[in-house]
Structure formats: C-alpha cells, structure tokens
C-alpha cells in the first residue's frame, strides 16, 4: 500500500512515515499543501493522510480541489482543532474520516486500513444528475438555477436515488436506507414520497426524472 502524508510538522511527519513503513506501507511525505496537491495529482496512492493547517494550501481547500478534479483517493484528515464544526467541515469538503491531534498511531493505522478497504469509489460532496444538483451538507436541491424546496425525507429519498443514477432501486432498498430499521409501516410510503418528488421536480418542467421500473423499483434517468 502506498500512502501520501501531507503534514508540515517535520517531526510528526517523520514519526508517521517511520511507523507506517514498519507496517509495510510505502510512504511519501509533503511538508506543505501545494507540494501535497502536486504529488496527489501526479502519483497514485491508496490513501492520503492530510493535515488541516498547512502552508500554501490548507487541508480543507486541498481536499476540496482534489475532489473537484475527480480524485477520489481516500483521505484521512488530521486536525489540531477540537470541535464538531471543524470535524463537519473536514467531511463536507470531501474527507472520508478525521482524527484529532494528539492521536494514537494504533488508531491512525486502523482507520487507514478501513479507508483502504473501502477503496476509491466516487463520493462527490455535490451530486449532479443532468441539470439536477443536490448538496446534502446545505440541504439544497437545484434544477438548473431554480431551487426546489424539499422536506428532509423527500431529500433523503432523492439523494439515495441520485447516488444510484441509472440503476434500479427497489422499495426495500429505499426503506432500508432512508427509514430506520424499526419502521413497521406500509412499504407504500415509498410511493407516496416518489409522487411528492415527481410533483415538485417534474410537473413544473414536464420532465420524467424518476422512472418506475416494473418489478424492480425506481430509477433516476440521468438524461431526463
């Protein structure tokens, strides 16, 4: 496994590099954000350990720029800050996980292993399907330049379908992922929410964004 460590604290970077190499990883180190961006762009890594406070380009911006460029290498963000808003910002800019300093190397190693197992599947912060855009962090739905007001549950159903654009999604999958495990109501609730979404998304524009696939469920048409 090849890991990129972007950390301006030379002593910490050397310690992490040495520990990872002892575990059998190949490790490159960048001491500032601009160099880290170049290395992450020019070389292929299995994961990136990225500090937030960096000279040149900070970690948040570097993470966002990599994601915008289509680079989905798993990113573990390191932060000296301790607060829920900083953690939320790390995840919303595209990081896969975060770890606050000071941290245990054992925990860092375990989290890296988990990220590498997940791989580099595309996980955009903003989901785009045709002229439909969803920003889960801001709870914002746009069709072209027109904002569409959605309830939290409507947004969750649409987000799940959008992340699977082009593929059929069954009622059961929607119930399992959008409603909690304790839901014991009628599974026709899915149809209710799909109708609401069609009314809001498609009636004003004459589109057919959410298609019914007989015997399979629903599918968002990326070309709608």
């Amino acid at each position: 496994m090849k890991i990129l460590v972007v950390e301006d604290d030379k002593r910490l970077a050397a310690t992490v590099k040495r520990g990872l190499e002892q575990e059998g990883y190949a490790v490159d180190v960048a001491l500032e954000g601009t160099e880290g961006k170049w290395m992450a762009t020019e070389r292929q890594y299995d994961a990136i350990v990225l500090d937030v406070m960096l000279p040149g380009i900070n970690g948040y911006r570097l993470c966002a720029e990599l994601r915008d460029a289509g680079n989905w290498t798993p990113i573990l963000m390191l932060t000296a800050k301790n607060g829920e808003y900083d953690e939320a910002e790390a995840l919303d800019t595209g990081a896969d996980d975060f770890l606050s300093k000071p941290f245990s190397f054992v925990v860092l190693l375990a989290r890296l292993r988990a990220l590498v197992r997940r791989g580099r599947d595309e996980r955009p912060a903003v989901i785009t399907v045709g002229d439909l855009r969803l920003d889960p962090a801001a709870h914002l739905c746009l069709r072209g330049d027109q904002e569409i007001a959605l309830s939290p549950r409507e947004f969750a159903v649409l987000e799940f379908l959008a992340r699977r654009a082009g593929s059929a999604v069954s009622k059961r999958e929607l119930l399992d992922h959008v409603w909690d495990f304790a839901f014991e109501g009628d599974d026709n609730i899915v149809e209710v929410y799909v109708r609401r979404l069609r009314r809001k998304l498609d009636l004003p524009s004459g589109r057919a964004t959410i298609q019914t696939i007989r015997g399979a469920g629903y599918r968002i048409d990326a070309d709608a």
Side-chain angles (χ1 to χ4, degrees):
M1 298 296 179
K2 192 172 183 67
I3 307 296
L4 173 62
V5 176
V6 189
E7 167 61 66
D8 65 327
D9 184 325
K10 293 182 179 180
R11 180 176 295 181
L12 177 59
T15 299
V16 172
K17 176 179 171 67
R18 183 168 57 251
L20 290 174
E21 287 177 340
Q22 289 174 351
E23 295 293 328
Y25 291 83
V27 183
D28 289 337
V29 171
L31 296 175
E32 54 94 26
T34 305
E35 181 187 15
K37 180 181 178 180
W38 181 85
M39 294 174 72
T41 301
E42 295 297 318
R43 304 173 187 175
Q44 185 167 329
Y45 295 94
D46 294 290
I48 299 172
V49 178
L50 177 61
D51 188 28
V52 168
M53 304 302 292
L54 292 168
I57 303 174
N58 69 39
Y60 295 135
R61 180 179 162 196
L62 174 52
C63 181
E65 289 184 2
L66 289 176
R67 296 314 192 216
D68 288 343
N71 185 325
W72 298 102
T73 303
I75 292 177
L76 175 63
M77 193 88 82
L78 300 181
T79 175
K81 300 177 182 179
N82 185 19
E84 58 186 14
Y85 291 105
D86 300 305
E87 296 165 358
E89 186 172 357
L91 297 175
D92 285 341
T93 53
D96 299 273
D97 200 357
F98 62 87
L99 196 57
S100 296
K101 298 177 183 177
F103 55 83
S104 160
F105 180 76
V106 173
V107 174
L108 171 72
L109 192 60
R111 293 196 177 192
L112 275 178
R113 285 196 298 263
L115 290 183
V116 171
R117 285 197 301 270
R118 294 179 209 164
R120 55 175 68 234
D121 293 338
E122 183 173 334
R123 297 176 298 278
V126 177
I127 309 160
T128 302
V129 184
D131 67 346
L132 187 67
R133 285 182 296 142
L134 294 176
D135 184 342
H139 191 81
L140 181 66
C141 175
L142 295 171
R143 165 142 267 164
D145 295 327
Q146 183 66 41
E147 182 175 349
I148 300 171
L150 299 177
S151 71
R153 188 80 72 185
E154 289 167 348
F155 194 96
V157 171
L158 183 59
E159 179 186 351
F160 190 71
L161 290 170
R163 290 190 184 278
R164 300 275 298 275
S167 300
V169 178
S170 69
K171 286 184 182 180
R172 185 71 260 167
E173 287 178 286
L174 282 164
L175 284 171
D176 288 345
H177 288 271
V178 177
W179 280 263
D180 63 51
F181 72 94
F183 178 75
E184 296 180 351
D186 191 335
D187 63 6
N188 286 331
I189 190 68
V190 174
E191 296 178 13
V192 172
Y193 277 89
V194 168
R195 283 198 299 271
R196 291 180 183 177
L197 287 171
R198 284 172 172 160
R199 186 166 61 248
K200 292 184 176 183
L201 295 173
D202 294 337
L203 278 183
S205 58
R207 307 286 188 90
T209 306
I210 304 175
Q211 301 177 341
T212 298
I213 309 301
R214 189 177 298 276
Y218 302 99
R219 181 181 66 205
I220 280 208
D221 182 359
D223 298 321

